[in-house]
Amino acid sequence: MKKNRKKWKKLLSSGVVLSAAALLLAACGNSSSKEETKTTKSSESTKVTGDIKLWVDTEQVDMFKKIVTDFEKKYPDVKVEVTAGSSADAKTDVSKDPSAAGDVFMMPHDQVGQMADAGLLYPFTETKFAKTVKKENVASAIEGATWKKELYGFPYGVESQVLYYNKSKLSADDVKTWKDLTSKGKLGTNFGDASANYIFGPLFMSNGDLLYGENGEDVKGTNFNNEKGVEVLKWIASQKSNSGVIQSSTEALANLTSGTTDAFLSGPWSKNDVKKALGDNMAVAAYPTVDFGSGETPMKAFLGVKLFAVNQQTKSPLAALTLASYLSNESSQLKEFEEIGTVPSNKSLQENEKVTSDEVAKAVMQMSDTDHSVVMPKLPEMTSFWPAMDALINDTYKGNIKENQYQDKLDKLVSDMSKTTE
């Protein structure tokens, strides 16, 4: 259950150092790629040709081979080799040897900042492809694909945690607020162990604070060390005595299956497991509202954006951009939704009956708006956020941090978050 959830922060929390080849690209890659982008822009009406390597997640190779077959029929002068890889490891794998890496590859959006600054990604802001991306996809997906006002990725899906619950125990009205949810049922969730940061870090933004500024790119833009931040910590501490909250980490699904809990917070990756556990009693909703002391406000989650990106060192930029655009267009996103459950970022598809009739997709789409989620920042300094936030949430919940220490702990958190860790 945790494997897919951790993809979004796997490399950020590992503090991987880019290879020498990638660092060399950082010095000259951005300027050269911009020149190539201009060339691509002027060549967009030319014939699309080239041999392209496409890297996709291992379990999705067969599906993407079918989409590539359709692409090659439309562009017979482009030959695509589909290779198995890991989108979560895109930064590591591409930086090892960019010239040997895929021309087009999957990646989570939170790696865009580091990879773009290292000269590993092909910017295409000034091309027709950018116009299509901006026209067809939801705003949060475009934000995830953008770094320093340059567009570096083709969104093909969005991902957020949602609330799964047993509808034989709880009604749709019962799960609208945290208070009702935990007074009328038992919620299994993780305040006390690793990964509490991913689930509950966004509480600070729920209460009006900012994580790395308005757009997630300002190193000194975090303001958790204010009264709103203190309110969040008080709320977290109060959950230890909330009888409706059952500390659940690795055992969350087992507790739901046994009836120890009636609900838990997870993402679309848990859909099949929850369906197996609850059968026809499975229900899904957006996060409940929470009250930190000033009234109910939507509880936010981190939003992840799934991207296809183009290698800055590709020898066939037009063909690579064309393929990335095709893999993320409305038709392809529909196939990806139908076969592997990826919730589309395409605006039209988000209104398609096939998508809206899926309760998990519907909840994720609701969570993808700005009231319910915050696009996970792409700054390298996020490597400092994860361990510091875990420690703060864990120790606050367990009572290891006293209320008169909250302000000092938040001051240190904000200071630490402006640095990167190795």
Side-chain angles (χ1 to χ4, degrees):
M1 180 180 68
K2 284 188 175 182
K3 180 180 178 182
N4 289 323
R5 181 181 72 197
K6 289 183 178 177
K7 279 186 177 182
W8 293 107
K9 59 192 182 77
K10 178 178 179 181
L11 288 177
L12 283 176
S13 59
S14 67
V16 174
V17 178
L18 293 176
S19 68
L23 292 174
L24 285 173
L25 278 172
C28 60
N30 287 341
S31 60
S32 63
S33 60
K34 286 182 180 179
E35 289 302 315
E36 290 166 357
T37 300
K38 293 178 181 178
T39 301
T40 302
K41 181 180 179 182
S42 64
S43 305
E44 285 172 352
S45 60
T46 63
K47 193 174 185 179
V48 182
T49 64
D51 294 332
I52 300 296
K53 287 182 292 185
L54 170 64
W55 285 2
V56 299
D57 285 334
T58 302
E59 64 273 19
Q60 299 173 11
V61 168
D62 290 342
M63 183 202 68
F64 278 106
K65 281 184 175 179
K66 296 175 186 176
I67 297 177
V68 164
T69 296
D70 293 336
F71 172 81
E72 289 178 332
K73 289 178 182 177
K74 185 173 182 179
Y75 299 97
D77 294 309
V78 181
K79 301 303 177 186
V80 182
E81 176 189 352
V82 184
T83 303
S86 169
S87 57
D89 297 319
K91 180 166 69 71
T92 301
D93 294 343
V94 174
S95 65
K96 286 177 182 176
D97 185 357
S99 64
D103 298 274
V104 179
F105 49 86
M106 287 178 158
M107 65 175 292
H109 86 273
D110 58 16
Q111 296 178 22
V112 167
Q114 289 174 294
M115 292 185 74
D117 284 351
L120 299 172
L121 304 180
Y122 195 105
F124 57 97
T125 308
E126 300 180 16
T127 70
K128 67 177 182 180
F129 302 105
K131 294 178 182 178
T132 300
V133 166
K134 292 177 181 179
K135 178 182 178 181
E136 295 184 354
N137 292 280
V138 296
S140 56
I142 297 168
E143 180 183 343
T146 303
W147 175 250
K148 296 179 180 178
K149 300 183 179 180
E150 289 280 0
L151 194 59
Y152 286 98
F154 293 80
Y156 69 96
V158 292
E159 190 167 71
S160 168
Q161 294 221 146
V162 294
L163 175 72
Y164 291 96
Y165 67 98
N166 186 334
K167 64 183 179 183
S168 71
K169 302 284 188 67
L170 294 163
S171 70
D173 285 336
D174 292 338
V175 302
K176 288 183 177 179
T177 70
W178 184 276
K179 181 180 179 180
D180 286 346
L181 170 62
T182 59
S183 63
K184 298 181 180 180
K186 303 287 187 182
L187 172 67
T189 193
N190 175 26
F191 283 103
D193 293 315
S195 294
N197 49 17
Y198 180 76
I199 304 170
F200 294 112
L203 285 175
F204 292 91
M205 287 76 84
S206 303
N207 203 29
D209 282 343
L210 298 175
L211 177 60
Y212 297 119
E214 293 284 355
N215 64 357
E217 294 186 12
D218 182 358
V219 175
K220 297 186 181 300
T222 302
N223 64 345
F224 293 1
N225 55 335
N226 55 18
E227 183 55 36
K228 291 180 179 180
V230 171
E231 288 175 352
V232 170
L233 293 186
K234 289 179 180 178
W235 185 88
I236 291 173
S238 71
Q239 300 311 304
K240 190 72 167 66
S241 59
N242 185 342
S243 61
V245 174
I246 308 299
Q247 168 60 26
S248 302
S249 182
T250 56
E251 67 279 12
L253 187 62
N255 285 344
L256 190 69
T257 304
S258 67
T260 302
T261 58
D262 308 312
F264 86 129
L265 306 172
S266 190
W269 50 84
S270 293
K271 176 182 177 180
N272 293 336
D273 288 333
V274 177
K275 187 68 177 176
K276 183 178 179 181
L278 298 180
D280 292 339
N281 287 324
M282 184 185 88
V284 191
Y287 271 11
T289 59
V290 290
D291 186 352
F292 299 107
S294 302
E296 298 291 337
T297 187
M299 179 180 171
K300 291 189 175 185
F302 278 125
L303 182 75
V305 183
K306 295 174 176 286
L307 302 174
F308 280 102
V310 173
N311 188 334
Q312 192 271 337
Q313 287 202 27
T314 180
K315 295 179 180 178
S316 303
L318 180 56
L321 289 166
T322 303
L323 175 61
S325 180
Y326 189 90
L327 294 172
S328 57
N329 67 18
E330 182 176 349
S331 174
S332 294
Q333 285 195 35
L334 179 57
K335 292 176 182 176
E336 291 150 16
F337 168 74
E338 292 175 332
E339 296 202 26
I340 57 178
T342 301
V343 179
S345 59
N346 182 280
K347 289 187 287 189
S348 295
L349 274 183
Q350 288 201 352
E351 297 177 358
N352 186 301
E353 186 178 358
K354 290 183 178 180
V355 179
T356 58
S357 61
D358 183 291
E359 56 183 338
V360 174
K362 186 177 180 180
V364 170
M365 290 187 295
Q366 184 177 351
M367 289 295 294
S368 69
D369 67 38
T370 55
D371 287 339
H372 293 87
S373 64
V374 57
V375 177
M376 191 181 295
K378 303 175 282 287
L379 281 168
E381 285 75 13
M382 281 291 285
T383 57
S384 300
F385 169 84
W386 298 117
M389 182 55 67
D390 244 353
L392 182 63
I393 293 172
N394 294 169
D395 287 339
T396 299
Y397 174 73
K398 294 173 182 178
N400 296 334
I401 301 174
K402 306 306 178 185
E403 188 171 326
N404 61 5
Q405 298 175 297
Y406 290 168
Q407 186 63 56
D408 288 343
K409 292 294 184 180
L410 288 170
D411 288 340
K412 186 176 187 305
L413 173 76
V414 170
S415 176
D416 289 346
M417 284 170 53
S418 65
K419 309 166 188 174
T420 56
T421 58
E422 298 300 332

